[in-house]
Amino acid sequence: MKNTTIKTIAQVTSLSLTTVSRVLNGSAKKYRISEETQKLVLKAAAKLNYAPNRAAVSLRLKRSFSVGLVIPTLSNPYFADVASMVSHALRAKGYSVVLMDCDEDENSEVEAVRLLVAQNIEGVIIIPSGAASAHIDTLLQRKIPVISIDRYHEDIPVSYVATHHYEGAYDITKYLLQAGHKRIACLQGSNSVVSNNLRVKGYTDAMKAAGCSVFSVAGNSFTSESGYIETKLLLQKKDRPTAIFALSDTILLGALKALEEDDVRVPEDMSVVTFDNSSYLDFLACPITSVAQPVNDIANISIKILLEQIEAHLKGTEVQQMKLLINPSVVYRKSVKKIGKGRPGRLV
Amino acid sequence: MKNTTIKTIAQVTSLSLTTVSRVLNGSAKKYRISEETQKLVLKAAAKLNYAPNRAAVSLRLKRSFSVGLVIPTLSNPYFADVASMVSHALRAKGYSVVLMDCDEDENSEVEAVRLLVAQNIEGVIIIPSGAASAHIDTLLQRKIPVISIDRYHEDIPVSYVATHHYEGAYDITKYLLQAGHKRIACLQGSNSVVSNNLRVKGYTDAMKAAGCSVFSVAGNSFTSESGYIETKLLLQKKDRPTAIFALSDTILLGALKALEEDDVRVPEDMSVVTFDNSSYLDFLACPITSVAQPVNDIANISIKILLEQIEAHLKGTEVQQMKLLINPSVVYRKSVKKIGKGRPGRLV
DNA sequence: ATGAAAGCGCTAACAT
DNA sequence: ATGTTAGCGCTTTCAT
């Protein structure tokens, strides 16, 4: 049982390839093909279980109807959430999603982009794993629409939709400061990533604005291991911090483990806040106050822009760079203790 | 700047399409193409940033080099982990992964399979969202290799690799029983899914084997909401359970929230165990004992089998149905209190 | 060791 | 209202 093609149907119906093609891809009306003929073709197609050959259509139309989704790793629930939303929205619009999990590795990401290009992908949604931007610039030069999510590059004209990392970090640091903390440690992720650096800047600026010297910025990756090690180190200092700001929930988990091992209680002995707002924060020994990223908005806006750009690209219109920063909110829980004489309470 | 094709390279190098094609797809040796010529072509290709057109190759070879990955939802970290591993392994073997997130919806899953078929997908890895199997049978009839992960169908000859759900549930229930618990409640997920039902059976069989009547099996979906509601209900009973077995970590989270709200302490007032072993279990108020699914093994074995089946399919060999159940292990933490006169301690 | 030519399945001018 | 034809980019006999 060979695969059914329009040729098969043409033979069966004694019509030309053109006519068959036209009714099968919905342009029957445009070419005023008779109802009769249409029915004939449709019936034959149904009977023979016809499905158009995507490769052929793709080759001919120079369209692939698929977009690439490049992600550092799905093991990170935040990225997984983005991926989930993006994949839904895209599917609803008739696009296939080609997934590239890069394991937080830049080389893997470069390779992923190469593969996507070879697949004539029509657009790319990417959460960069590092600072490298040349491969993304390649896409831009090929006029392939790209939306960078969460992390982005300022050195190339790529559109992006991201959390306003700076603000989120600034706000939550300010909250800590107003609760009376002065020695606030910052546990960072990879410093080759903009989102991390903006968060760090939000933290340091807030500290400075409050007249506090920056206590410490430690760590080097968005992992529990990094959070664990740096917290262990922090606890060794004679001048311990009174609060810790973990720049991601993964880092937080490692920090909590270190605190627990050394019998440091949250929030009694150490206040802790984080960035991401994973659903499990509510259920931790002490529910942790966190900056919540607007995942839904980010995903939806990204898709909207990407589709518009793809549309524009097809029409030959010049696509415009979009730069959107979405304000995050702080979800207050129980992990911050008011100390000293600082003005306590929630910030609004 | 047009796209580079082998034609471009042929012109630049003054060689024929054939020769260029041969060196570019690695069959240079087979045709004894001179080192010199090879270098010439390779250099030109590199300079022009050549990437083969997948659609063309695909059309010509009647292969798509892509496989479908059908997942209930990436929001579930367990599924996301599987997706991550699967996508890596597949990429390493030269396959693209087309992602279909079904939002735990059967109709969406059926549609996803239809779309994959139209794409001439070479194989499918699926974690079913429900009990429907007709669409999967369609794939089988088209001789498209399919591996079902985690959840599977016994009514069609589909290959599967899954956790030995029954054993895991049986073992952890037995552990609870041996710790002296008799009134053990089971919080289930969706009962239209084999994995759930096998876990329930493991629980009930263990209860019966210990001479205990089955206390209760409640709930209807793998969500925190379901866990929350059912636990609330459980706490209303005059005959409260002394232990709760949540059939997934999502359910667990909801249960813990309900317990906390009613000031029921774990493990003092209520022992709790779960299924999945997400990494955050270690960091909860009380670290929760859990059945750990062998994600790594499952993902790797699945890919291995899928690739073998694709290989076989290409050769025209008949593919064989594989049914693999991988034994899970129990990770003991601190959420179970020994009560009564039951023999305490860890089971081995 | 290299090339010419046919064809994979489909669409879109360009006929008629 | 329907048909003819060329060609998308690639691989592969079948030459030489």
Side-chain angles (χ1 to χ4, degrees):
Chain A
M1 157 184 148
K2 282 189 57 194
N3 250 323
T4 311
T5 72
I6 52 170
K7 193 170 166 187
T8 328
I9 298 181
Q11 284 162 353
V12 171
T13 58
S14 323
L15 286 162
S16 72
L17 290 180
T18 316
T19 305
V20 174
S21 169
R22 279 169 180 155
V23 357
L24 256 21
N25 64 30
S27 51
K29 190 152 290 171
K30 187 172 152 197
Y31 291 98
R32 291 173 241 199
I33 289 168
S34 71
E35 283 296 328
E36 205 179 1
T37 307
Q38 291 191 43
K39 266 177 198 148
L40 187 66
V41 172
L42 259 13
K43 202 163 292 173
K47 195 165 104 193
L48 296 170
N49 200 14
Y50 171 81
N53 182 322
R54 272 266 209 133
V57 177
S58 182
L59 178 60
R60 179 63 234 230
L61 261 33
K62 292 178 175 303
R63 293 200 56 183
S64 61
F65 301 99
S66 56
V67 321
L69 177 58
V70 185
I71 297 268
T73 170
L74 286 176
S75 305
N76 181 323
Y78 171 66
F79 298 147
D81 275 353
V82 173
S84 176
M85 304 204 56
V86 162
S87 109
H88 276 137
L90 249 18
R91 176 127 80 96
K93 296 292 184 180
Y95 287 89
S96 287
V97 175
V98 178
L99 172 69
M100 295 280 168
D101 182 307
C102 302
D103 214 12
E104 297 271 10
D105 177 58
E106 281 197 19
N107 296 324
S108 174
E109 182 181 307
V110 172
E111 173 68 3
V113 168
R114 227 182 46 72
L115 292 171
L116 290 174
V117 169
Q119 267 175 86
N120 303 312
I121 229 71
E122 293 191 42
V124 173
I125 297 269
I126 183 170
I127 303 183
S129 292
S133 62
H135 56 304
I136 299 182
D137 203 35
T138 304
L139 292 171
L140 261 24
Q141 272 158 25
R142 288 179 182 255
K143 307 283 183 201
I144 299 176
V146 187
I147 310 293
S148 187
I149 289 190
D150 193 54
R151 308 167 172 184
Y152 52 93
H153 306 285
E154 294 282 25
D155 57 338
I156 52 172
V158 63
S159 294
Y160 58 79
V161 181
T163 297
H164 203 316
H165 300 288
Y166 177 87
E167 285 229 342
Y170 191 97
D171 289 352
I172 206 164
T173 305
K174 194 166 150 199
Y175 168 66
L176 243 18
L177 288 161
Q178 296 200 354
H181 295 272
K182 292 189 187 319
R183 297 203 307 283
I184 304 172
C186 173
L187 261 33
Q188 74 173 343
S190 163
N191 67 2
S192 63
V193 144
V194 209
S195 57
N196 178 78
N197 299 345
L198 287 172
R199 291 176 199 177
V200 169
K201 189 154 194 314
Y203 155 79
T204 55
D205 281 6
M207 293 293 274
K208 286 175 195 161
C212 288
S213 61
V214 171
F215 183 80
S216 116
V217 177
N220 52 32
S221 82
F222 286 107
T223 58
S224 295
E225 290 68 42
S226 176
Y228 175 81
I229 293 169
E230 297 304 336
T231 303
K232 280 283 192 186
L233 256 28
L234 239 30
L235 295 178
Q236 292 299 311
K237 291 196 175 188
K238 47 181 172 286
D239 195 30
R240 271 193 189 180
T242 62
I244 291 178
F245 176 16
L247 258 36
S248 84
D249 285 343
T250 43
I251 295 174
L252 168 79
L253 252 26
L256 291 180
K257 178 145 208 139
L259 291 174
E260 193 210 355
E261 283 184 11
D262 287 23
D263 281 322
V264 179
R265 308 270 288 279
V266 177
E268 294 81 355
D269 312 324
M270 181 72 76
S271 290
V272 175
V273 299
T274 183
F275 207 108
D276 276 352
N277 195 39
S278 300
S279 58
Y280 54 71
L281 293 188
D282 258 328
F283 306 97
L284 295 171
C286 170
I288 307 291
T289 291
S290 174
V291 177
Q293 303 211 50
V295 197
N296 278 271
D297 292 344
I298 290 182
N300 291 331
I301 294 174
S302 305
I303 295 304
K304 191 157 188 300
I305 299 179
L306 184 75
L307 294 176
E308 278 172 14
Q309 295 198 351
I310 290 178
E311 204 64 30
H313 181 215
L314 290 175
K315 285 190 192 143
T317 318
E318 201 56 36
V319 307
Q320 207 200 323
Q321 183 187 4
M322 305 289 277
K323 306 172 170 195
L324 296 185
L325 256 24
I326 316 291
N327 273 337
S329 53
V330 176
V331 176
Y332 299 92
R333 296 198 180 84
K334 304 174 177 171
S335 58
V336 176
K337 183 179 143 199
K338 299 167 214 157
I339 62 171
K341 56 216 172 303
R343 184 153 41 87
R346 293 172 48 152
L347 287 186
V348 187
Chain B
M1 159 182 147
K2 282 189 54 194
N3 251 322
T4 310
T5 72
I6 51 171
K7 193 171 167 187
T8 328
I9 298 182
Q11 284 162 352
V12 171
T13 59
S14 323
L15 286 164
S16 72
L17 292 179
T18 315
T19 305
V20 173
S21 169
R22 279 169 180 156
V23 356
L24 256 21
N25 64 30
S27 50
K29 190 153 290 171
K30 185 173 155 196
Y31 290 99
R32 291 172 243 198
I33 289 168
S34 71
E35 283 296 327
E36 206 178 2
T37 306
Q38 290 191 44
K39 266 177 197 147
L40 187 65
V41 173
L42 260 13
K43 202 164 290 172
K47 195 166 103 194
L48 296 170
N49 200 13
Y50 170 81
N53 182 320
R54 274 267 210 131
V57 178
S58 183
L59 177 60
R60 178 65 231 231
L61 263 32
K62 293 180 176 301
R63 295 197 53 184
S64 63
F65 301 99
S66 56
V67 321
L69 178 58
V70 185
I71 298 268
T73 170
L74 285 177
S75 305
N76 180 323
Y78 171 66
F79 297 147
D81 275 352
V82 172
S84 176
M85 304 203 56
V86 162
S87 110
H88 276 137
L90 248 20
R91 175 126 82 94
K93 296 292 185 179
Y95 287 89
S96 286
V97 175
V98 178
L99 173 68
M100 296 279 168
D101 183 308
C102 303
D103 215 13
E104 297 271 9
D105 176 58
E106 281 197 21
N107 296 325
S108 172
E109 183 181 306
V110 171
E111 173 68 2
V113 168
R114 226 183 45 73
L115 292 170
L116 290 174
V117 168
Q119 266 176 86
N120 302 312
I121 228 71
E122 293 191 40
V124 173
I125 298 268
I126 183 171
I127 303 183
S129 291
S133 63
H135 56 304
I136 299 181
D137 203 34
T138 303
L139 291 171
L140 260 23
Q141 270 156 28
R142 286 182 181 255
K143 306 284 184 200
I144 299 176
V146 188
I147 311 292
S148 187
I149 289 189
D150 193 53
R151 308 167 173 185
Y152 51 93
H153 305 285
E154 293 283 24
D155 57 337
I156 52 172
V158 63
S159 293
Y160 59 80
V161 181
T163 297
H164 203 314
H165 301 288
Y166 177 88
E167 284 227 344
Y170 190 98
D171 289 352
I172 207 164
T173 305
K174 192 165 150 199
Y175 168 65
L176 243 20
L177 288 161
Q178 296 200 353
H181 294 274
K182 293 188 187 319
R183 297 202 306 284
I184 304 171
C186 173
L187 262 32
Q188 72 172 346
S190 163
N191 67 2
S192 63
V193 144
V194 209
S195 57
N196 179 79
N197 299 346
L198 287 172
R199 291 176 200 177
V200 170
K201 187 152 196 311
Y203 156 78
T204 55
D205 281 5
M207 293 295 273
K208 286 176 196 160
C212 289
S213 60
V214 171
F215 183 80
S216 115
V217 177
N220 52 32
S221 82
F222 286 107
T223 58
S224 295
E225 290 68 42
S226 175
Y228 176 80
I229 293 169
E230 297 303 336
T231 303
K232 280 283 193 187
L233 256 30
L234 239 30
L235 295 178
Q236 292 299 311
K237 292 197 175 188
K238 47 181 173 288
D239 195 31
R240 272 193 189 180
T242 62
I244 291 179
F245 176 16
L247 257 35
S248 84
D249 285 343
T250 44
I251 296 174
L252 168 79
L253 252 26
L256 290 181
K257 180 146 207 137
L259 291 174
E260 194 210 354
E261 282 184 11
D262 288 23
D263 281 321
V264 179
R265 308 270 288 281
V266 178
E268 294 82 355
D269 310 325
M270 182 72 76
S271 290
V272 175
V273 299
T274 183
F275 207 110
D276 276 351
N277 196 41
S278 300
S279 59
Y280 54 71
L281 293 189
D282 258 328
F283 304 98
L284 294 171
C286 170
I288 307 290
T289 291
S290 175
V291 177
Q293 303 212 48
V295 197
N296 279 270
D297 292 344
I298 290 182
N300 291 330
I301 294 174
S302 305
I303 296 304
K304 191 156 188 300
I305 298 180
L306 185 74
L307 294 177
E308 279 173 12
Q309 294 197 350
I310 291 178
E311 204 65 30
H313 181 214
L314 291 174
K315 286 190 191 143
T317 318
E318 202 55 38
V319 308
Q320 207 201 322
Q321 183 188 3
M322 305 289 279
K323 306 172 169 194
L324 295 184
L325 257 24
I326 317 291
N327 273 336
S329 53
V330 176
V331 177
Y332 298 93
R333 296 196 180 85
K334 303 175 179 170
S335 58
V336 176
K337 183 180 143 198
K338 297 167 215 158
I339 61 170
K341 57 215 171 304
R343 185 153 41 86
R346 295 171 49 152
L347 287 187
V348 187

